[in-house]
Amino acid sequence: MRLSNIEFKAMNNAARRVLQRTVEFPLFKRMGLTGQECDILEIGCGSGYGAVLLSELRPKSYVGIDLMPEQIALARQRKLLNAEFMVLDATDLPFPDQSKDVVVIFGVLHHVPVWRKVVSEIYRVLRPGGRFFVEEPDGAAVARFDRVFAWGHAPDALFLLSDFERFLRETGFTLLGRRYMMGFGWYHARK
Ligand SMILES: C[S@@+](CC[C@H](N)C(=O)[O-])C[C@H]1O[C@@H](n2cnc3c(N)ncnc32)[C@H](O)[C@@H]1O
């Protein structure tokens, strides 16, 4: 789903970029994220700062997708070499089966009521042995946050991390790593 105006602003400022560079990306790397010679797909790439970070891994290719055209317009302004940005809905990916080595998500599925469909699509497009790195907040924490800050997350998109982990396994993923921090879960899963 599209972001509310307040969340769009919160996602597109210097503080968000600092958090992503100094906390989120290093944590994924400590959990095993590498990208050399890999075809990387980032779901919900927003304004493309994740692409800046992921390009440091020297992937073979990088594609970032996002539902919001205004996010993709900002991402394209970065003029990154070897990065492609597309306006797409993650519930229906146009990529062939087994065509990606790594899929990365920095906090997106809690905006998608049919988040299970996205997880299934990610499993489909990953090659055997392909890896999925994802961070998501627990739905109960987001609901509490919204009662104070009113960012307007859609209640039907919020899920508990325990349900998320169960669904990863049901889909066929093997969970290789897991961390919890400040109401967020971080996962490294392998197809
Ligand atoms: C909370 S923002 C995170 C953006 C970026 N990953 C970051 O960490 O700054 C969630 C992003 O997911 C995108 N999004 C939401 N639903 C989507 C969907 N069904 N398919 C693709 N992108 C989606 C939104 O447009 C938004 O840019």
Side-chain angles (χ1 to χ4, degrees):
M1 292 183 69
R2 290 179 57 84
L3 301 182
S4 61
N5 288 342
I6 186 170
E7 187 165 5
F8 183 80
K9 286 185 187 132
M11 288 301 110
N12 292 320
N13 65 45
R16 168 82 197 107
R17 290 191 287 277
V18 168
L19 192 65
Q20 207 169 353
R21 174 170 286 282
T22 61
V23 178
E24 301 171 36
F25 185 56
L27 181 50
F28 273 154
K29 286 199 288 187
R30 285 201 296 281
M31 293 176 75
L33 174 62
T34 53
Q36 206 159 11
E37 293 307 308
C38 289
D39 293 310
I40 296 184
L41 170 65
E42 185 185 359
I43 304 280
C45 62
S47 61
Y49 194 63
V52 172
L53 300 172
L54 292 165
S55 68
E56 293 173 7
L57 303 176
R58 307 211 171 279
K60 185 160 67 175
S61 73
Y62 165 95
V63 177
I65 69 146
D66 202 285
L67 193 65
M68 292 177 69
E70 50 272 61
Q71 293 277 56
I72 292 298
L74 290 169
R76 286 181 179 147
Q77 282 174 18
R78 296 186 186 278
K79 306 233 179 295
L80 285 172
L81 296 174
N82 204 25
E84 188 181 356
F85 297 102
M86 303 165 84
V87 179
L88 283 177
D89 186 337
T91 61
D92 188 15
L93 298 173
F95 309 113
D97 297 356
Q98 304 185 8
S99 56
K100 303 291 175 189
D101 300 297
V102 175
V103 176
V104 179
I105 290 185
F106 292 97
V108 173
L109 297 176
H110 63 288
H111 289 281
V112 187
V114 289
W115 57 270
R116 289 180 177 83
K117 178 98 173 35
V118 180
V119 172
S120 301
E121 278 290 87
I122 290 166
Y123 191 83
R124 179 184 68 75
V125 302
L126 275 172
R127 297 190 170 107
R131 291 161 304 133
F132 178 29
F133 292 85
V134 51
E135 60 153 302
E136 288 294 334
D138 188 82
V142 178
R144 282 195 299 275
F145 177 92
D146 266 358
R147 282 200 284 278
V148 180
F149 297 104
W151 279 18
H153 292 92
D156 61 344
L158 301 182
F159 51 84
L160 298 178
L161 291 178
S162 51
D163 290 337
F164 181 63
E165 289 170 30
R166 190 174 319 113
F167 190 71
L168 282 176
R169 291 200 177 90
E170 283 171 15
T171 306
F173 281 108
T174 302
L175 221 49
L176 298 181
R178 177 176 53 184
R179 305 272 195 287
Y180 299 110
M181 191 169 55
M182 313 270 291
F184 279 72
W186 305 73
Y187 302 96
H188 174 193
R190 187 184 60 214
K191 176 171 176 178

